[in-house]
């Protein structure tokens, strides 16, 4: 949902012009050696001065004018640094570069005492032989930049941009009062500092995970809400509601969230824990990258989902309603309906946010194709409209438009995409023929149908499920609504199954979890009795499900029920947007879970599940990541079907290859050569003509300057004449010397004649020049026997001629 009108985003002043040399010197101390870091200009951050704990600014939406001005000042300062002469750039980099002298531990060149108050970003350009002020270093500035000798201009600018971002972060760190926020700024400061030292890209790894953090994202859910609630409206009304939704998303993307310490009183323990994690993610991936574009920036509405929106919705909606009232007069007359409809939209969104079964938060929910196409078309129309001053004053929902380099905003499309003609794929008719053959073989082979030999267990289980001989039900206890008698009986039966199959687990503990309202059990029912089940607890806010018990009655364990039971649980989890399964498996169950796709290599960050999942002694934590596009209950059958089709394709190709074809008779009829592709059966076995690469052009080819070509020929001819073996070919052979020579040689040639032709401009192409030279050698070999001196001179001079031609790029043999 990009483009369209939106509420103007306000920002507090950043105070970027008051950093001065004193602040730069403070940064120098924090960065281990950034003497007079030159933070003049705009070293502030695009945030509230007291963000994350200040009573005046926390949780507010900043003023657009000052926010944009601050981001522009940051970008202007970067551009100013990028335009500095190379020596001043190197001086700036040296302040954050480790000394390259052996044994020295200095991490940044420090300005000499007499120049401490001078700024390398304005007028000060130190000499490369000036010594570092650090008493443990005392090495010259050159020693700190020795590793930057071969650095490109673009790489140097990237490092300088990261340094300015680091200095801005340091100033933000000094102003912020909230300790949690300050720790995040310190972490990012150290990350950028390390990236500058190692000259690597800033990559955030660790317990925070990678965006997006929840599915569906807020943007998708809001789009689904517009379709779900307002698709019955007329086109203009639906368009207006879409603009209302975009205004909300734009407001959320620019909203400055309150720190966890500020909101501790109005959140439950679980909500407070979730909010602290999401607040840290927001700072790292959304807020700080808005003014530090060395870090990857994400939009809040695209990487967060229902969990975050639930915890902040009340504050956001109140602020947005106030903003609508205060900004009403600034909106054009034809757009004021957005302000009027905003409270109604917020109330609708709030109701869907609180519903546990709302379809807009279901990952499988999709608006109609016509609605999606209409939205995309309208977004393209909006994007094609040039943005003028009026559009800028209204504001868009892309914060990266200011203060971010162009190469980071625009995603380059790959230019050499392979065309469909170049893909080594089988024709559709061949695949369809193989599928038809497999299907017919299954139908005609009656014996295998009546007496199956190698039918997999999952096929038998699925057949039983289709005949309703077995059923799968998710059951659980409840304290808010009545539980029917059948569910209670099944829960009691499942309790007995778990107790019998897990004798080391206390029965009271099993009963406690099976009947706990936060736990559910996927029950396998046969003849109305539970014969197996998986007891689990979902954690939607964390994105994983904990498997507590998993058991099947002993007499039913070899029939494939356990695998099908787990596949049902995987599909159940995917339908609810959960992509991870975790369990503590004892030594007897590790083999089973490995077969179901679980691994001891837990890829889920520990802070995501620590404190949520129950830990057991003498058990191994195992993890299974689910793919949302896979239907696990059908997966094995699909793989088996693909395997059968592949075998059929191989058999068909084998039959084609083994086919005996008649031999060629054209050579007996006198035909000397035929094209390779005309050999029968060659294409059928997969042969394709090779596309030879185009010959690279030569510097002195026929298409070049004739004068240059003639100069090259003259150079070659002169070298050939001066060769020690050239004496037999310097002038024409006379009849007096060799009386019968012209009886055998009809087209004589020599180096003198070639020189005369060259002066007359005869050699317009290298082919003519090479042909005359080759005639000299072929005439010699034709007239003289191989054991003569003349024959050996011809061979030696020919090799020398070819070498000289290759040196000039005029030889392609």
């Amino acid at each position: 949902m990009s483009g369209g009108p939106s509420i103007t985003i306000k920002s507090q002043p950043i105070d970027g012009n008051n950093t001065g040399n004193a602040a730069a010197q403070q940064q120098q101390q924090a960065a281990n050696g950034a003497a007079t870091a030159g933070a003049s200009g705009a070293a502030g951050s695009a945030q509230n001065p007291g963000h994350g704990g200040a009573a005046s600014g926390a949780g507010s939406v900043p003023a657009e004018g000052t926010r944009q001005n601050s981001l522009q000042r940051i970008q202007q300062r970067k551009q100013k640094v990028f335009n500095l002469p190379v020596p001043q750039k190197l001086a700036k980099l040296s302040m954050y570069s480790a000394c390259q002298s052996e044994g020295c531990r200095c991490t940044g060149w420090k300005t000499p005492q007499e120049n401490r108050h001078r700024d390398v970003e304005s007028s000060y350009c130190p000499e490369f032989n000036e010594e570092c002020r650090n008493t443990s270093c005392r090495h010259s500035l050159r020693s700190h930049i020795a590793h930057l000798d071969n650095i490109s201009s673009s790489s140097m600018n990237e490092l300088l941009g990261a340094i300015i971002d680091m200095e801005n972060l340091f100033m933000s760190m000094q102003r912020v009062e909230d300790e949690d926020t300050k720790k995040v700024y310190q972490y990012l400061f150290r990350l950028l500092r390390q990236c500058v030292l190692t000259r690597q890209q800033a990559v955030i790894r660790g317990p925070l995970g990678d965006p997006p953090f929840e599915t569906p994202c807020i943007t998708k859910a809001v789009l689904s809400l517009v379709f779900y609630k307002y698709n019955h409206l007329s086109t203009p009304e639906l368009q207006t509601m879409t603009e209302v939704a975009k205004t909300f998303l734009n407001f959320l993307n620019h909203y400055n969230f309150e720190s966890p310490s500020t909101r501790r009183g109005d959140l439950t323990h679980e909500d407070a824990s979730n909010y602290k994690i999401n607040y840290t993610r927001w700072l790292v991936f959304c807020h700080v990258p808005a003014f530090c574009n060395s870090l990857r920036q994400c939009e809040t509405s695209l990487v967060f989902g229902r969990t975050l929106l639930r915890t902040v919705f009340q504050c956001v909606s109140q602020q947005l309603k106030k903003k609508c009232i205060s900004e009403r007069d600034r909106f054009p007359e034809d757009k004021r309906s957005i302000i009027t409809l905003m409270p109604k939209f917020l109330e609708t969104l709030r109701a869907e946010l609180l519903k546990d079964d709302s379809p807009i938060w279901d990952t499988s929910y999709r608006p109609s194709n016509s609605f999606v196409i209409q939205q995309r078309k309208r977004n393209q129309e909006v994007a094609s409209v040039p943005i003028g001053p009026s559009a800028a004053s209204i504001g868009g929902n892309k914060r990266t438009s200011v203060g971010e380099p162009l190469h980071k905003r625009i995603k380059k499309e790959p230019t050499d995409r392979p065309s469909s003609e170049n893909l080594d794929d089988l024709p559709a008719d061949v695949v369809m023929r193989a599928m038809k053959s497999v299907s017919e073989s299954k139908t005609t082979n009656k014996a295998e149908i009546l007496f199956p030999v190698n039918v997999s267990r999952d096929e038998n289980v699925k057949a039983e499920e289709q005949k309703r001989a077995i059923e799968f039900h998710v059951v659980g206890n409840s304290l808010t609504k009545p539980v029917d008698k059948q569910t209670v009986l099944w829960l009691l039966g499942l309790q007995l199954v778990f107790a019998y199959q897990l004798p080391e687990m206390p029965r009271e503990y099993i009963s406690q979890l099976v009947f706990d309202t936060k736990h559910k059990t996927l029950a396998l029912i046969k003849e109305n009795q539970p014969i197996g089940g998986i007891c689990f607890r979902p954690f939607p806010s964390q994105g994983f499900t904990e498997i507590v018990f998993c058991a099947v009655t002993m007499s039913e364990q070899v029939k494939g029920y356990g695998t099908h039971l787990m596949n049902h649980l995987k599909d159940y989890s995917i339908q609810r947007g959960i992509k991870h399964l975790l369990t503590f498996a004892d030594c007897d169950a590790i083999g089973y879970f490995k077969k179901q796709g679980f691994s001891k290599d837990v890829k889920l960050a520990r802070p995501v599940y620590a404190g949520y999942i129950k830990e057991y002694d003498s058990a191994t934590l195992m993890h299974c990541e689910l793919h949302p596009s896979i239907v696990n209950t059908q997966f094995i059958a699909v793989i088996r079907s693909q395997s059968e089709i592949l075998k059929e394709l191989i058999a068909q190709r084998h039959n084609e290859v083994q086919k005996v074809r008649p031999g060629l008779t054209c050579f007996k009829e006198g035909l000397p050569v035929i094209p390779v592709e005309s050999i029968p059966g060659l294409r059928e076995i997969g042969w394709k003509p090779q596309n030879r690469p185009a010959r690279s052009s030569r510097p002195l080819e026929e298409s070049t300057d004739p004068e240059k070509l003639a100069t090259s020929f003259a150079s070659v001819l002169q070298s050939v004449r001066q060769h020690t073996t050239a004496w037999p070919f310097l002038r024409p052979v006379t009849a007096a010397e060799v009386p019968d020579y012209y009886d055998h040689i009809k087209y004589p040639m020599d180096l003198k004649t070639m020189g005369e032709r060259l002066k007359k401009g005869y050699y317009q192409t290298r082919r003519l020049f090479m042909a005359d030279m080759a005639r000299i050698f072929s005439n010699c070999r034709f007239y003289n026997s191989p054991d003569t001196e003349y024959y050996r001179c011809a061979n030696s001079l020919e090799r020398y001629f070819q070498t000289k031609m290759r040196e000039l790029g005029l030889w392609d043999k």
Side-chain angles (χ1 to χ4, degrees), residues 616-635:
Y616 298 89
D617 295 333
S618 303
T620 303
L621 181 62
M622 302 189 73
H623 169 236
C624 178
E625 186 173 1
L626 307 178
H627 195 289
S629 301
I630 294 177
V631 181
N632 291 273
T633 50
Q634 304 294 331
F635 186 66

Side-chain angles (χ1 to χ4, degrees), residues 493-680:
L494 289 165
Q495 176 194 6
L496 294 175
V497 171
F498 292 141
Y500 185 78
Q501 296 299 131
L502 306 171
E504 295 183 3
M505 196 67 64
R507 293 203 172 197
E508 296 79 5
Y509 182 67
I510 293 175
S511 302
Q512 176 187 342
L513 296 188
V514 169
F515 287 94
D516 180 42
T517 56
K518 295 179 181 179
H519 289 71
K520 296 181 182 297
T521 304
L522 175 62
L524 170 59
I525 307 299
K526 187 173 186 179
E527 296 178 358
N528 207 31
Q529 295 292 327
I531 60 171
I534 300 177
C535 181
F536 62 94
R537 180 180 177 181
F539 292 92
S541 63
Q542 304 304 109
F544 76 90
T545 290
E546 175 195 7
I547 297 177
V548 184
F549 305 128
C550 177
V552 177
T553 303
M554 181 69 71
S555 59
E556 307 285 354
Q557 284 184 0
V558 295
K559 299 180 180 180
Y561 290 147
T563 297
H564 204 56
L565 196 63
M566 185 62 71
N567 288 336
H568 268 285
L569 178 62
K570 291 177 180 177
D571 289 345
Y572 176 86
S573 300
I574 290 173
Q575 291 170 6
R576 281 148 185 81
I578 296 176
K579 299 180 182 178
H580 301 275
L581 300 179
L582 289 175
T583 185
F584 271 95
D586 58 28
C587 56
D588 296 328
I590 289 177
Y592 165 77
F593 282 108
K594 279 186 176 180
K595 292 178 181 178
Q596 310 310 319
F598 285 74
S599 171
K600 297 179 183 180
D601 181 18
V602 180
K603 296 181 180 179
L604 204 60
R606 179 170 176 78
V608 175
Y609 62 84
Y612 293 91
I613 187 171
K614 291 176 286 295
E615 300 193 14
Y616 298 89
D617 295 333
S618 303
T620 303
L621 181 62
M622 302 189 73
H623 169 236
C624 178
E625 186 173 1
L626 307 178
H627 195 289
S629 301
I630 294 177
V631 181
N632 291 273
T633 50
Q634 304 294 331
F635 186 66
I636 298 176
V638 171
I639 295 298
R640 185 182 300 106
S641 177
Q642 290 176 346
S643 176
E644 291 173 355
I645 294 171
L646 186 60
K647 288 178 182 178
E648 178 63 26
L649 288 170
I650 293 173
Q652 290 180 5
R653 176 58 60 90
H654 187 266
N655 293 334
E656 292 176 1
V657 172
Q658 294 296 322
K659 186 185 294 184
V660 178
R661 292 176 172 81
L664 296 170
T665 59
C666 56
F667 300 112
K668 294 181 180 180
E669 298 169 359
L671 194 64
V673 294
I674 62 170
V676 176
E677 56 268 21
S678 63
I679 299 175

